[in-house]
Amino acid sequence: MRGEQRIPTRTPESRAFAERVQVVMGLTARLNQLPFDDVDARRALLAEIFGGPVPESLTILPPFYCDHGLGASFGERVFINQSCFFLDLGGITIGDRVLIGPRVTLSTAGHPVEPDERFDALTHAPIVIEDDVWIGAAATVTPGVTIGRGSVVGAGAVVARDVPPMSVVTATGAVERRRLGRS
């Protein structure tokens, strides 16, 4: 993936990440238990999850799931519908006036592809969603992807490559990219 970085496992950095995941999992569990109309408490928990104040115009409907929190930033008038997953270790930047449908997954992290390396590191690369993007229900955006200004990602799409500005992308499907070293 473009811009991939690695955090070796069994290091202070990987332990710090694991500890942060535990904190954020607790915070998101509390967020998802709040009464829906308790907007002030929701905003306070979101500030804890994301490590600081969030824009007043940001709307995140619970349930919401996040694993790190410190890697996400939001523009103005962003709407995130229910049951979204943000795996943000690699960083998620969301521009202004972005609409994110229910059950969308933004995943910036993974593991090395080669089987003998999978337990040796976490991989991560940023996701950038530019202004005026609409991401449809149950879409998945993978590490290292930029979705260009004004684009639409259709429901259920798996986005593994950059989306040019002012484009519409749809579809799912498995495409063999390469063969792994061992069989």
Side-chain angles (χ1 to χ4, degrees), residues 10-104:
R10 298 175 297 281
T11 64
E13 187 178 12
S14 67
R15 280 189 289 282
F17 170 69
E19 290 168 7
R20 177 66 187 170
V21 167
Q22 294 301 307
V23 168
V24 173
M25 297 293 277
L27 292 170
T28 57
R30 288 176 38 209
L31 174 77
N32 295 332
Q33 302 256 332
L34 288 173
F36 183 76
D37 59 354
D38 195 347
V39 177
D40 292 335
R42 190 180 333 154
R43 185 160 300 287
L45 279 170
L46 289 171
E48 282 189 70
I49 290 167
F50 296 120
V54 295
E56 283 291 320
S57 62
L58 172 66
T59 299
I60 297 179
L61 298 183
F64 174 76
Y65 306 94
C66 183
D67 73 340
H68 188 253
L70 302 179
S73 65
F74 304 92
E76 295 294 328
R77 295 179 57 200
V78 171
F79 177 82
I80 300 168
N81 213 319
Q82 297 176 332
S83 297
C84 289
F85 290 80
F86 283 23
L87 307 175
D88 68 315
L89 173 64
I92 296 172
T93 303
I94 299 176
D96 295 334
R97 299 169 307 280
V98 170
L99 302 170
I100 297 178
R103 294 185 355 255
V104 167

Coordinates of all heavy atoms in Angstrom, one line a residue, residues 10-104:
R10 N 5.8 -6.3 19.8 CA 6.7 -6.5 21.0 C 7.7 -5.4 21.2 O 8.8 -5.6 21.6 CB 7.3 -7.9 20.9 CG 6.4 -9.1 20.9 CD 7.0 -10.4 20.7 NE 7.7 -10.6 19.4 CZ 7.1 -10.8 18.3 NH1 5.8 -10.9 18.2 NH2 7.7 -10.9 17.1
T11 N 7.2 -4.2 20.9 CA 8.1 -3.0 21.2 C 7.3 -2.0 22.0 O 6.0 -2.1 22.2 CB 8.4 -2.3 19.8 OG1 7.2 -1.8 19.2 CG2 9.1 -3.2 18.9
P12 N 8.0 -1.0 22.6 CA 7.2 0.0 23.4 C 6.1 0.7 22.6 O 5.1 1.0 23.1 CB 8.3 1.0 23.8 CG 9.6 0.1 23.9 CD 9.4 -0.9 22.7
E13 N 6.4 0.9 21.3 CA 5.4 1.6 20.4 C 4.2 0.8 20.2 O 3.1 1.2 20.3 CB 6.1 2.0 19.1 CG 5.2 2.8 18.2 CD 5.8 3.2 16.9 OE1 6.9 2.6 16.5 OE2 5.3 4.0 16.2
S14 N 4.4 -0.5 20.0 CA 3.2 -1.4 19.8 C 2.5 -1.6 21.1 O 1.2 -1.7 21.1 CB 3.6 -2.8 19.2 OG 4.4 -3.5 20.1
R15 N 3.2 -1.6 22.2 CA 2.5 -1.7 23.5 C 1.7 -0.4 23.8 O 0.5 -0.5 24.3 CB 3.5 -2.0 24.7 CG 3.9 -3.4 24.7 CD 4.7 -3.8 26.0 NE 6.0 -3.2 25.9 CZ 7.0 -3.7 25.3 NH1 6.9 -4.8 24.5 NH2 8.2 -3.2 25.3
A16 N 2.2 0.7 23.5 CA 1.5 2.0 23.6 C 0.2 2.0 22.8 O -0.8 2.5 23.2 CB 2.4 3.2 23.3
F17 N 0.3 1.5 21.6 CA -0.9 1.4 20.7 C -1.9 0.5 21.3 O -3.1 0.9 21.4 CB -0.5 0.9 19.3 CG -1.7 0.6 18.5 CD1 -2.5 1.6 18.0 CD2 -2.0 -0.7 18.1 CE1 -3.6 1.3 17.2 CE2 -3.1 -1.0 17.4 CZ -3.9 0.0 16.9
A18 N -1.5 -0.7 21.8 CA -2.4 -1.6 22.4 C -3.1 -1.0 23.7 O -4.3 -1.2 23.9 CB -1.7 -2.9 22.8
E19 N -2.3 -0.2 24.4 CA -2.9 0.4 25.6 C -3.9 1.5 25.2 O -5.0 1.6 25.8 CB -1.8 1.0 26.5 CG -1.0 0.0 27.2 CD 0.3 0.6 27.8 OE1 0.5 1.8 27.8 OE2 1.1 -0.2 28.3
R20 N -3.6 2.2 24.2 CA -4.6 3.2 23.7 C -5.8 2.6 23.1 O -6.9 3.1 23.4 CB -3.9 4.1 22.6 CG -4.8 5.1 22.0 CD -5.2 6.2 22.9 NE -6.2 7.1 22.3 CZ -7.0 8.0 22.9 NH1 -6.8 8.2 24.2 NH2 -7.9 8.7 22.2
V21 N -5.7 1.5 22.5 CA -6.9 0.7 22.0 C -7.8 0.4 23.1 O -9.0 0.5 23.1 CB -6.5 -0.5 21.2 CG1 -7.7 -1.4 20.9 CG2 -5.8 -0.1 19.9
Q22 N -7.2 -0.1 24.2 CA -8.0 -0.4 25.4 C -8.8 0.8 25.9 O -10.0 0.7 26.3 CB -7.2 -1.0 26.5 CG -6.6 -2.4 26.1 CD -7.7 -3.4 25.8 OE1 -8.6 -3.6 26.6 NE2 -7.6 -4.0 24.6
V23 N -8.1 1.9 26.0 CA -8.8 3.2 26.5 C -10.0 3.5 25.6 O -11.1 3.8 26.0 CB -7.8 4.3 26.6 CG1 -8.5 5.7 26.8 CG2 -6.8 4.0 27.7
V24 N -9.7 3.6 24.3 CA -10.7 4.0 23.3 C -11.9 3.0 23.2 O -13.0 3.4 23.1 CB -10.1 4.2 21.9 CG1 -11.1 4.5 20.8 CG2 -9.1 5.4 22.0
M25 N -11.6 1.7 23.3 CA -12.7 0.7 23.4 C -13.6 1.0 24.5 O -14.8 0.9 24.4 CB -12.1 -0.7 23.4 CG -11.3 -1.1 22.2 SD -12.2 -1.2 20.7 CE -12.9 -2.8 20.9
G26 N -13.1 1.3 25.7 CA -13.9 1.7 26.8 C -14.7 3.0 26.6 O -15.9 3.0 26.9
L27 N -14.1 4.0 26.0 CA -14.8 5.2 25.7 C -15.9 5.0 24.7 O -17.0 5.6 24.8 CB -13.8 6.3 25.2 CG -12.7 6.8 26.2 CD1 -11.7 7.6 25.5 CD2 -13.4 7.6 27.3
T28 N -15.6 4.2 23.6 CA -16.7 4.0 22.6 C -17.8 3.2 23.2 O -19.0 3.4 22.9 CB -16.1 3.4 21.3 OG1 -15.5 2.2 21.6 CG2 -15.2 4.3 20.6
A29 N -17.5 2.2 24.1 CA -18.6 1.5 24.8 C -19.5 2.4 25.6 O -20.7 2.3 25.5 CB -18.0 0.4 25.7
R30 N -18.9 3.4 26.3 CA -19.6 4.4 27.0 C -20.5 5.2 26.1 O -21.6 5.5 26.3 CB -18.7 5.2 27.9 CG -18.2 4.5 29.1 CD -17.2 5.2 29.9 NE -17.5 6.6 30.1 CZ -16.6 7.6 30.3 NH1 -15.3 7.3 30.3 NH2 -16.9 8.8 30.5
L31 N -19.8 5.7 25.0 CA -20.5 6.5 24.0 C -21.8 5.8 23.5 O -22.9 6.4 23.4 CB -19.6 6.8 22.8 CG -20.2 7.5 21.6 CD1 -20.3 9.0 21.9 CD2 -19.3 7.4 20.4
N32 N -21.6 4.5 23.2 CA -22.7 3.8 22.6 C -23.8 3.4 23.6 O -24.9 2.9 23.2 CB -22.2 2.5 21.9 CG -21.3 2.9 20.7 OD1 -21.5 4.0 20.1 ND2 -20.3 2.1 20.4
Q33 N -23.6 3.6 24.9 CA -24.6 3.4 25.9 C -25.4 4.6 26.2 O -26.4 4.5 26.9 CB -24.0 2.8 27.1 CG -23.2 1.6 26.9 CD -23.9 0.4 27.4 OE1 -24.7 0.4 28.4 NE2 -23.6 -0.8 26.8
L34 N -25.0 5.8 25.8 CA -25.7 7.0 26.1 C -27.0 7.1 25.5 O -27.3 6.6 24.4 CB -24.9 8.2 25.6 CG -23.6 8.6 26.3 CD1 -22.8 9.7 25.5 CD2 -23.8 9.0 27.7
P35 N -28.0 7.8 26.2 CA -29.3 8.1 25.6 C -29.0 8.9 24.3 O -28.1 9.8 24.3 CB -30.0 8.9 26.6 CG -29.3 8.6 27.9 CD -27.9 8.3 27.6
F36 N -29.8 8.6 23.3 CA -29.5 9.3 22.0 C -29.6 10.8 22.1 O -28.8 11.5 21.4 CB -30.5 8.8 20.9 CG -30.3 9.4 19.6 CD1 -29.3 8.9 18.8 CD2 -31.1 10.4 19.1 CE1 -29.0 9.4 17.6 CE2 -30.8 11.0 17.9 CZ -29.8 10.5 17.1
D37 N -30.4 11.3 22.9 CA -30.6 12.8 23.0 C -29.6 13.5 23.9 O -29.6 14.7 24.0 CB -32.0 13.2 23.4 CG -32.5 12.6 24.7 OD1 -31.7 11.8 25.3 OD2 -33.6 12.9 25.2
D38 N -28.6 12.8 24.5 CA -27.6 13.4 25.4 C -26.5 13.8 24.5 O -25.4 13.3 24.6 CB -27.2 12.4 26.4 CG -26.5 13.1 27.6 OD1 -26.0 14.2 27.4 OD2 -26.3 12.4 28.6
V39 N -26.7 14.9 23.7 CA -25.7 15.4 22.8 C -24.5 15.9 23.5 O -23.3 15.7 23.0 CB -26.3 16.4 21.8 CG1 -25.3 17.0 20.9 CG2 -27.5 15.8 21.1
D40 N -24.6 16.6 24.6 CA -23.5 17.1 25.3 C -22.5 16.0 25.8 O -21.3 16.2 25.7 CB -24.0 18.0 26.5 CG -24.7 19.3 26.0 OD1 -24.4 19.7 24.9 OD2 -25.5 19.8 26.8
A41 N -23.1 15.0 26.4 CA -22.2 13.9 26.9 C -21.6 13.2 25.7 O -20.4 12.8 25.8 CB -23.1 12.9 27.7
R42 N -22.3 13.1 24.6 CA -21.7 12.5 23.4 C -20.5 13.3 22.9 O -19.4 12.8 22.6 CB -22.8 12.3 22.3 CG -22.3 11.5 21.1 CD -23.3 11.3 20.0 NE -24.7 11.4 20.3 CZ -25.6 11.8 19.5 NH1 -25.4 12.1 18.3 NH2 -26.9 11.9 19.9
R43 N -20.7 14.6 22.8 CA -19.6 15.5 22.4 C -18.4 15.4 23.3 O -17.3 15.4 22.8 CB -20.1 16.9 22.3 CG -19.1 17.9 21.7 CD -19.7 19.1 21.1 NE -20.7 18.9 20.1 CZ -20.4 18.6 18.8 NH1 -19.1 18.4 18.5 NH2 -21.3 18.4 17.9
A44 N -18.7 15.3 24.6 CA -17.5 15.2 25.6 C -16.8 13.9 25.4 O -15.5 13.9 25.4 CB -18.1 15.3 27.0
L45 N -17.5 12.8 25.2 CA -16.8 11.5 24.9 C -16.1 11.5 23.6 O -14.9 11.0 23.5 CB -17.8 10.4 25.0 CG -18.1 9.9 26.4 CD1 -19.3 8.9 26.4 CD2 -16.9 9.3 27.1
L46 N -16.6 12.1 22.6 CA -15.9 12.2 21.3 C -14.6 13.0 21.4 O -13.6 12.7 20.8 CB -16.8 12.8 20.2 CG -18.0 12.0 19.7 CD1 -18.9 12.7 18.8 CD2 -17.4 10.7 19.0
A47 N -14.7 14.1 22.2 CA -13.4 14.8 22.5 C -12.4 14.0 23.2 O -11.2 14.1 22.9 CB -13.7 16.1 23.3
E48 N -12.8 13.1 24.1 CA -11.8 12.2 24.7 C -11.3 11.2 23.7 O -10.1 10.9 23.7 CB -12.5 11.5 25.9 CG -12.7 12.3 27.1 CD -13.1 11.4 28.3 OE1 -12.3 10.5 28.7 OE2 -14.3 11.6 28.7
I49 N -12.2 10.6 22.9 CA -11.8 9.6 21.9 C -10.8 10.2 20.9 O -9.7 9.6 20.7 CB -13.0 9.1 21.2 CG1 -13.9 8.2 22.1 CG2 -12.6 8.3 19.9 CD1 -15.2 7.9 21.6
F50 N -11.1 11.4 20.5 CA -10.2 12.0 19.4 C -9.1 12.9 20.0 O -8.4 13.5 19.2 CB -11.1 12.8 18.4 CG -12.0 11.8 17.7 CD1 -13.4 12.0 17.7 CD2 -11.5 10.8 16.9 CE1 -14.2 11.2 17.1 CE2 -12.4 9.9 16.2 CZ -13.7 10.1 16.3
G51 N -9.0 13.0 21.3 CA -7.9 13.7 21.9 C -8.0 15.2 21.9 O -7.0 15.9 22.0
G52 N -9.2 15.8 21.7 CA -9.4 17.2 21.7 C -10.7 17.6 21.2 O -11.5 16.7 20.7
P53 N -11.0 18.8 21.2 CA -12.4 19.3 20.7 C -12.6 18.9 19.3 O -11.7 18.8 18.5 CB -12.3 20.8 20.8 CG -11.1 21.1 21.7 CD -10.2 20.0 21.6
V54 N -13.9 18.6 19.0 CA -14.3 18.3 17.6 C -15.1 19.5 17.1 O -15.7 20.2 17.9 CB -15.0 16.9 17.5 CG1 -14.1 15.8 17.9 CG2 -16.3 17.0 18.4
P55 N -15.2 19.7 15.8 CA -16.1 20.8 15.3 C -17.5 20.7 15.8 O -18.1 19.6 15.9 CB -16.0 20.6 13.8 CG -14.7 19.9 13.5 CD -14.6 18.9 14.7
E56 N -18.1 21.8 16.2 CA -19.5 21.9 16.6 C -20.4 21.3 15.5 O -21.5 20.7 15.8 CB -19.9 23.3 16.9 CG -19.4 23.8 18.2 CD -20.1 23.1 19.4 OE1 -21.3 22.9 19.4 OE2 -19.3 22.8 20.4
S57 N -20.0 21.4 14.3 CA -20.9 21.0 13.2 C -20.7 19.5 12.8 O -21.4 19.0 11.9 CB -20.6 21.8 11.9 OG -19.3 21.6 11.5
L58 N -19.8 18.8 13.6 CA -19.6 17.3 13.4 C -20.8 16.6 14.0 O -21.2 16.8 15.1 CB -18.3 16.9 14.0 CG -18.1 15.4 14.0 CD1 -17.9 14.8 12.6 CD2 -16.9 15.1 14.9
T59 N -21.4 15.7 13.2 CA -22.4 14.8 13.7 C -21.9 13.3 13.5 O -21.6 12.9 12.4 CB -23.7 14.9 12.9 OG1 -24.2 16.3 13.1 CG2 -24.8 14.0 13.4
I60 N -21.9 12.6 14.6 CA -21.6 11.2 14.6 C -22.7 10.5 15.3 O -22.9 10.7 16.5 CB -20.2 10.8 15.3 CG1 -19.1 11.5 14.5 CG2 -20.0 9.3 15.4 CD1 -17.7 11.3 15.1
L61 N -23.5 9.6 14.6 CA -24.6 8.9 15.2 C -24.1 7.6 15.8 O -23.4 6.8 15.1 CB -25.7 8.7 14.2 CG -26.3 9.9 13.6 CD1 -27.5 9.5 12.6 CD2 -26.8 10.9 14.7
P62 N -24.4 7.3 17.0 CA -24.0 6.0 17.6 C -25.0 4.9 17.1 O -26.1 5.2 16.6 CB -24.2 6.2 19.1 CG -25.2 7.3 19.2 CD -25.0 8.2 18.0
P63 N -24.5 3.6 17.1 CA -23.2 3.3 17.6 C -22.1 3.6 16.7 O -22.3 3.7 15.5 CB -23.3 1.7 17.8 CG -24.3 1.3 16.8 CD -25.3 2.5 16.7
F64 N -20.9 3.9 17.3 CA -19.7 4.3 16.6 C -18.6 3.5 17.2 O -18.5 3.3 18.4 CB -19.5 5.8 16.7 CG -18.2 6.3 16.1 CD1 -18.1 6.4 14.7 CD2 -17.1 6.6 16.9 CE1 -16.9 6.8 14.2 CE2 -15.9 7.0 16.4 CZ -15.8 7.1 15.0
Y65 N -17.6 3.1 16.3 CA -16.5 2.3 16.8 C -15.2 2.9 16.3 O -15.1 3.2 15.1 CB -16.7 0.8 16.4 CG -18.0 0.2 16.8 CD1 -19.1 0.3 15.9 CD2 -18.2 -0.3 18.0 CE1 -20.3 -0.2 16.3 CE2 -19.4 -0.8 18.4 CZ -20.5 -0.8 17.5 OH -21.7 -1.3 17.9
C66 N -14.2 3.0 17.2 CA -12.9 3.5 16.8 C -11.9 2.8 17.6 O -12.2 2.4 18.8 CB -13.0 5.0 17.2 SG -11.5 5.9 16.7
D67 N -10.7 2.6 17.1 CA -9.7 1.8 17.9 C -8.6 2.7 18.4 O -7.9 2.2 19.3 CB -9.2 0.7 17.0 CG -8.2 1.1 15.9 OD1 -8.3 2.3 15.5 OD2 -7.5 0.2 15.4
H68 N -8.4 3.9 17.9 CA -7.2 4.7 18.4 C -7.6 6.1 18.7 O -7.2 6.6 19.7 CB -6.1 4.6 17.3 CG -4.8 5.2 17.7 ND1 -4.4 6.4 17.2 CD2 -3.9 4.8 18.5 CE1 -3.2 6.7 17.7 NE2 -2.9 5.7 18.5
G69 N -8.3 6.7 17.8 CA -8.9 8.1 18.1 C -7.9 9.2 17.8 O -8.3 10.2 17.2
L70 N -6.7 9.1 18.1 CA -5.8 10.2 18.0 C -5.3 10.5 16.6 O -4.7 11.5 16.3 CB -4.5 10.0 18.9 CG -4.8 9.7 20.3 CD1 -3.5 9.5 21.1 CD2 -5.6 10.9 20.9
G71 N -5.7 9.6 15.6 CA -5.3 9.8 14.2 C -6.4 10.4 13.3 O -6.2 10.4 12.1
A72 N -7.5 10.8 13.9 CA -8.6 11.3 13.1 C -8.8 12.8 13.2 O -8.7 13.3 14.3 CB -9.9 10.6 13.5
S73 N -9.1 13.4 12.1 CA -9.4 14.8 12.1 C -10.6 15.1 11.2 O -10.7 14.4 10.2 CB -8.2 15.7 11.7 OG -7.8 15.5 10.4
F74 N -11.4 16.1 11.5 CA -12.6 16.4 10.8 C -12.7 17.8 10.4 O -12.4 18.7 11.1 CB -13.8 16.1 11.8 CG -13.8 14.7 12.3 CD1 -13.1 14.4 13.5 CD2 -14.3 13.6 11.6 CE1 -13.1 13.1 14.0 CE2 -14.3 12.3 12.1 CZ -13.7 12.1 13.3
G75 N -13.3 18.0 9.2 CA -13.7 19.3 8.7 C -15.0 19.7 9.3 O -15.6 19.1 10.1
E76 N -15.6 20.8 8.7 CA -16.9 21.3 9.1 C -18.0 20.6 8.4 O -17.8 20.1 7.2 CB -17.0 22.8 8.8 CG -16.0 23.6 9.6 CD -16.3 23.6 11.1 OE1 -17.5 23.5 11.5 OE2 -15.3 23.7 11.9
R77 N -19.1 20.5 9.1 CA -20.4 19.9 8.5 C -20.2 18.5 8.0 O -20.7 18.1 7.0 CB -20.9 20.8 7.4 CG -21.4 22.1 7.9 CD -22.0 23.0 6.9 NE -23.1 22.4 6.2 CZ -23.5 22.8 5.0 NH1 -22.9 23.7 4.3 NH2 -24.5 22.2 4.5
V78 N -19.5 17.7 8.8 CA -19.3 16.2 8.5 C -20.4 15.5 9.2 O -20.7 15.7 10.4 CB -17.9 15.8 9.0 CG1 -17.8 14.2 8.9 CG2 -16.8 16.4 8.2
F79 N -21.0 14.5 8.5 CA -22.1 13.7 9.0 C -21.7 12.2 8.9 O -21.3 11.8 7.8 CB -23.4 13.9 8.2 CG -24.5 13.0 8.7 CD1 -25.2 13.3 9.8 CD2 -24.8 11.8 8.0 CE1 -26.3 12.4 10.3 CE2 -25.8 10.9 8.5 CZ -26.5 11.3 9.6
I80 N -21.6 11.5 10.0 CA -21.2 10.1 10.0 C -22.4 9.3 10.6 O -22.8 9.5 11.8 CB -20.0 9.9 10.9 CG1 -18.8 10.7 10.3 CG2 -19.6 8.4 11.0 CD1 -17.6 10.8 11.1
N81 N -23.0 8.5 9.8 CA -24.2 7.7 10.2 C -23.8 6.6 11.1 O -22.7 6.4 11.5 CB -24.9 7.2 8.9 CG -26.4 7.2 9.1 OD1 -26.9 6.8 10.2 ND2 -27.1 7.6 8.1
Q82 N -24.8 5.8 11.5 CA -24.7 4.7 12.5 C -23.8 3.6 12.1 O -23.7 3.3 10.9 CB -26.1 4.2 12.9 CG -27.0 5.2 13.5 CD -28.4 4.6 13.7 OE1 -28.8 3.7 13.0 NE2 -29.1 5.2 14.7
S83 N -23.2 3.0 13.1 CA -22.4 1.7 13.0 C -21.2 1.8 12.1 O -20.8 0.9 11.4 CB -23.3 0.6 12.5 OG -24.4 0.3 13.4
C84 N -20.5 3.0 12.1 CA -19.3 3.1 11.4 C -18.1 2.7 12.2 O -18.1 2.7 13.4 CB -19.1 4.6 10.9 SG -20.3 5.0 9.6
F85 N -17.1 2.2 11.5 CA -15.8 1.7 12.2 C -14.7 2.6 11.6 O -14.5 2.6 10.4 CB -15.6 0.3 11.8 CG -16.5 -0.7 12.5 CD1 -17.8 -0.9 11.9 CD2 -16.1 -1.4 13.6 CE1 -18.6 -1.8 12.5 CE2 -17.0 -2.3 14.2 CZ -18.3 -2.5 13.7
F86 N -13.9 3.2 12.5 CA -12.7 3.9 12.2 C -11.5 3.3 12.8 O -11.4 3.3 14.0 CB -12.8 5.4 12.7 CG -13.7 6.3 11.9 CD1 -14.7 5.8 11.1 CD2 -13.5 7.7 11.9 CE1 -15.5 6.7 10.4 CE2 -14.3 8.5 11.2 CZ -15.3 8.0 10.4
L87 N -10.7 2.6 12.0 CA -9.4 2.1 12.5 C -8.3 3.1 12.0 O -7.9 3.0 10.9 CB -9.2 0.7 11.9 CG -10.4 -0.3 12.1 CD1 -10.2 -1.6 11.4 CD2 -10.7 -0.4 13.6
D88 N -8.0 4.0 12.9 CA -7.3 5.2 12.5 C -5.9 5.4 12.9 O -5.3 6.5 12.9 CB -8.1 6.4 13.1 CG -8.1 6.5 14.6 OD1 -8.2 5.5 15.2 OD2 -7.8 7.7 15.1
L89 N -5.2 4.3 13.2 CA -3.8 4.3 13.6 C -3.0 5.1 12.6 O -2.1 5.9 12.9 CB -3.2 2.9 13.7 CG -1.7 2.8 14.0 CD1 -1.3 3.5 15.3 CD2 -1.3 1.4 13.9
G90 N -3.2 4.9 11.3 CA -2.5 5.5 10.2 C -2.9 6.9 9.9 O -2.3 7.7 9.2
G91 N -4.0 7.4 10.5 CA -4.5 8.7 10.3 C -5.7 8.8 9.3 O -5.6 8.2 8.2
I92 N -6.8 9.4 9.7 CA -7.9 9.6 8.8 C -8.2 11.1 8.8 O -8.4 11.7 9.9 CB -9.2 8.9 9.3 CG1 -9.0 7.4 9.3 CG2 -10.4 9.3 8.5 CD1 -10.1 6.6 10.0
T93 N -8.1 11.7 7.6 CA -8.4 13.1 7.5 C -9.7 13.2 6.7 O -9.8 12.7 5.6 CB -7.3 13.9 6.8 OG1 -6.1 13.7 7.5 CG2 -7.6 15.3 6.6
I94 N -10.7 13.9 7.3 CA -12.0 14.1 6.6 C -12.2 15.6 6.4 O -12.2 16.3 7.3 CB -13.1 13.5 7.5 CG1 -12.9 12.0 7.6 CG2 -14.5 13.7 6.8 CD1 -13.9 11.3 8.5
G95 N -12.4 15.9 5.1 CA -12.6 17.3 4.7 C -14.0 17.9 5.1 O -14.8 17.2 5.9
D96 N -14.3 19.0 4.6 CA -15.6 19.7 4.9 C -16.8 19.0 4.1 O -16.6 18.5 3.0 CB -15.5 21.2 4.5 CG -14.5 21.9 5.3 OD1 -14.3 21.6 6.5 OD2 -14.0 23.0 4.8
R97 N -17.9 19.1 4.7 CA -19.2 18.7 4.0 C -19.1 17.2 3.5 O -19.6 16.9 2.4 CB -19.6 19.6 2.9 CG -19.8 21.1 3.4 CD -19.9 22.1 2.3 NE -18.8 22.0 1.3 CZ -17.6 22.6 1.6 NH1 -17.4 23.3 2.7 NH2 -16.7 22.5 0.7
V98 N -18.6 16.3 4.3 CA -18.5 14.9 3.9 C -19.7 14.2 4.6 O -20.0 14.4 5.7 CB -17.1 14.3 4.4 CG1 -17.1 12.8 4.2 CG2 -16.0 15.0 3.6
L99 N -20.3 13.3 3.8 CA -21.4 12.4 4.3 C -20.9 11.0 4.2 O -20.4 10.5 3.2 CB -22.6 12.6 3.3 CG -23.2 14.0 3.2 CD1 -24.2 14.0 2.1 CD2 -23.8 14.5 4.5
I100 N -21.0 10.3 5.4 CA -20.6 8.9 5.5 C -21.8 8.1 5.9 O -22.3 8.4 7.0 CB -19.4 8.8 6.5 CG1 -18.2 9.6 6.0 CG2 -19.0 7.3 6.7 CD1 -17.0 9.6 6.9
G101 N -22.2 7.2 5.1 CA -23.3 6.3 5.3 C -23.1 5.3 6.5 O -22.0 5.1 7.0
P102 N -24.2 4.6 6.8 CA -24.1 3.6 7.9 C -23.2 2.5 7.5 O -23.1 2.1 6.4 CB -25.6 3.2 8.1 CG -26.3 3.5 6.8 CD -25.6 4.7 6.2
R103 N -22.6 1.9 8.5 CA -21.8 0.7 8.4 C -20.5 0.9 7.5 O -20.0 -0.1 7.0 CB -22.6 -0.5 8.0 CG -23.6 -0.9 9.0 CD -24.4 -2.2 8.7 NE -24.1 -2.8 7.5 CZ -25.0 -2.7 6.4 NH1 -26.1 -2.1 6.5 NH2 -24.7 -3.3 5.3
V104 N -20.1 2.1 7.4 CA -18.9 2.4 6.6 C -17.7 2.0 7.5 O -17.6 2.3 8.7 CB -18.8 3.8 6.1 CG1 -17.4 4.2 5.6 CG2 -19.8 4.1 5.0

